[in-house]
Amino acid sequence: MIQIIQSYGALLSIAMGQTLLLALCGLFFGCILGVIFGLSSVVDHKVSRAIAKVYVNLIRGVPMIVLAFFVFYGIPYGIKTILGIKFTFTALQAGTLCLALNCGAYMSEIIRAGIQSIDPGQMEAARSLGLSYWRSMFKVVLPQAIKNMIPSIVNQFIITLKDTSILSVIGFPELVNKAQNVIAITFKSFQTWAIVAVMYLVVILALQQVANSLERRLSRDRER
Amino acid sequence: MTGKDNVKVHVKSLKKSFGQNHVLKDISIDIHEGEVVCVIGPSGSGKSTFLRCLNRLEQASSGEIVVDGYHIDDKKIDINKVRENIGMVFQHFNLFANMNVLDNLMLAPVDLKKATKEEARNKAMELLKTVGLADKADSFPSQLSGGQKQRVAIARALAMSPDIMLFDEPTSALDPEMVGEVLSVMKQLAKDGMTMVVVTHEMGFAREVAHRVVFMDDGVILEEGTPDEIFSNPKNPRTIDFLNKVL
């Protein structure tokens, strides 16, 4: 075990860096998608609600490994066949796209549920005073909804971070992908996977700590 | 404007249905400036829906609604602008849970640029004093009793200096010993000349404060008149039946 850490520690640390990079990219765009489709699914507009629903159901219904293969191999092949143009994704681009689409779908559900958990009377009271729909949303409904959403959002962050491991299948040099390389050279799968597991665990526990203190601060600021 | 310059609310042939459920069937009424109208009637008679149509929290299915000179039924009007002039008080208070009492009162005037922060704060404190809750300015809604919440809600509506106040069963969610404090605030408001439409089950309040009492049942106005006419000498058998049950 010590030997592997000595020989491959640096390599695995860099791979963890790549994992975090991919997770951050995925989360960033995933959050944007989540906010857009989450709000789309609560507004009083049938078409936008329908689009959000199709997106969520589509992504929820397809395993991410299939999505990853489809984006990385399927789309470039399709474009070449239909349009005759040579087109490729880098593994980071394809990985970010998959993670963002996946994370965005679940985030939008978290945001929708969070908003719908707030008593409609809050919106009505704000509207009755003359505030517009969006002012009421931003000033009254969302501040309350976000507080309720935070545990689920943190949970989704953790899931997305772990989901990066799936993208080892398209050759992105993240932790699982590199661990497989190490095992191919050393044949020490018990030690290597144990080290990888501990690395994930440490990062996620740290993330959890940050989230906990954030949550505590929010509930102190705005006591109900 | 509606010709007669002191008509604040003009409703003609108002109909509202939710799918096959016809909640309001042809309501017509004129309410004058400074008038206090109490709407009474059994549950499910459409009283609240009628009230909510007046500021378009419910969109009327058909009919004409003119409030303060604005055609509420016209989809092209800026409803937010109109609502600035129509205060509303809800059965369940609906105080903004994420803000303290003072911010509840200041949000709309400041956000809609009706007043500077300083002006809004002064006005809010003054209103809190008139409802007897100046010491609760920094409290959060969850720390108040029901009666206190409703008094804050009234003050919040008044912070926009509305011309008309709508009350949707303002005391129905209160413990009996808290009803009085809310009603006395409303009485004072009526005395000060506010135009008020009050959906209520408080017959004592209606008798004492209302200029006109409207009895609604099954989506229509069955009878209207002075409190004396309605309470002492009701004519419609259903009014008589209803009053026998509640008085």
Side-chain angles (χ1 to χ4, degrees), chain A residues 31-167:
Chain A
C31 286
I32 294 175
L33 287 176
V35 170
I36 292 172
F37 285 102
L39 291 175
S40 304
S41 53
V42 294
V43 295
D44 188 17
H45 191 279
K46 270 189 193 145
V47 177
S48 84
R49 282 207 305 265
I51 291 171
K53 199 167 177 189
V54 168
Y55 165 64
V56 170
N57 286 343
L58 201 66
I59 296 298
R60 268 207 301 218
V62 177
M64 199 164 84
I65 194 163
V66 176
L67 186 65
F69 283 137
F70 181 76
V71 168
F72 192 64
Y73 298 112
I75 289 180
Y77 180 77
I79 288 178
K80 195 177 144 206
T81 316
I82 296 163
L83 300 174
I85 304 166
K86 192 169 166 342
F87 173 85
T88 51
F89 281 117
T90 65
L92 178 61
Q93 287 165 345
T96 301
L97 185 60
C98 290
L99 273 184
L101 283 173
N102 201 61
C103 172
Y106 290 100
M107 285 288 242
S108 84
E109 279 296 280
I110 292 169
I111 289 168
R112 180 191 60 75
I115 290 171
Q116 287 177 346
S117 74
I118 302 302
D119 177 4
Q122 295 283 312
M123 174 61 93
E124 283 187 351
R127 297 302 311 273
S128 80
L129 289 164
L131 268 67
S132 68
Y133 177 84
W134 288 109
R135 288 308 289 169
S136 308
M137 190 57 110
F138 284 112
K139 283 287 188 176
V140 175
V141 178
L142 279 179
Q144 298 178 56
I146 286 169
K147 216 175 87 183
N148 297 348
M149 290 174 202
I150 282 180
S152 312
I153 289 177
V154 170
N155 195 36
Q156 187 55 45
F157 275 27
I158 290 171
I159 291 171
T160 300
L161 177 64
K162 294 203 286 189
D163 277 352
T164 56
S165 60
I166 293 170
L167 297 161

Side-chain angles (χ1 to χ4, degrees), chain B residues 55-231:
Chain B
N55 65 354
R56 216 208 264 168
L57 281 183
E58 301 289 355
Q59 177 81 50
S61 302
S62 70
E64 189 184 26
I65 306 170
V66 185
V67 178
D68 228 10
Y70 293 95
H71 286 260
I72 302 287
D73 45 294
D74 181 358
K75 288 202 171 81
K76 289 194 289 288
I77 61 156
D78 180 2
I79 189 66
N80 297 326
K81 205 81 205 144
V82 183
R83 282 176 179 155
E84 290 179 8
N85 255 338
I86 312 173
M88 188 163 197
V89 175
F90 300 85
Q91 180 177 0
H92 295 288
F93 331 124
N94 298 346
L95 292 182
F96 306 134
N98 56 321
M99 304 174 195
N100 67 21
V101 167
L102 194 59
D103 289 336
N104 262 274
L105 267 67
M106 287 170 59
L107 173 68
V110 173
D111 206 71
L112 298 167
K113 302 199 167 39
K114 283 262 166 179
T116 64
K117 268 200 161 163
E118 206 44 49
E119 291 164 359
R121 187 190 312 275
N122 291 339
K123 171 139 204 208
M125 287 311 297
E126 208 168 291
L127 284 167
L128 285 177
K129 233 174 270 168
T130 59
V131 301
L133 290 169
D135 56 326
K136 298 288 184 190
D138 296 325
S139 303
F140 276 80
S142 59
Q143 298 163 323
L144 304 179
S145 73
Q148 291 171 332
K149 281 182 196 167
Q150 196 60 299
R151 284 186 282 155
V152 170
I154 294 172
R156 178 178 66 180
L158 291 174
M160 287 296 287
S161 313
D163 286 345
I164 301 164
M165 287 282 285
L166 310 176
F167 293 84
D168 189 4
E169 303 198 24
T171 57
S172 297
L174 296 177
D175 291 339
E177 76 266 28
M178 291 170 183
V179 171
E181 61 191 67
V182 172
L183 291 183
S184 76
V185 169
M186 290 169 62
K187 262 179 227 169
Q188 189 55 49
L189 203 54
K191 220 179 278 173
D192 296 343
M194 178 65 78
T195 310
M196 293 163 65
V197 187
V198 186
V199 170
T200 187
H201 292 293
E202 292 296 328
M203 298 305 153
F205 175 82
R207 190 194 283 264
E208 189 186 340
V209 181
H211 300 112
R212 187 154 41 128
V213 176
V214 172
F215 176 73
M216 270 181 77
D217 192 13
D218 204 19
V220 291
I221 294 177
L222 281 182
E223 192 166 357
E224 60 179 304
T226 64
D228 215 37
E229 285 167 351
I230 298 290
F231 290 114

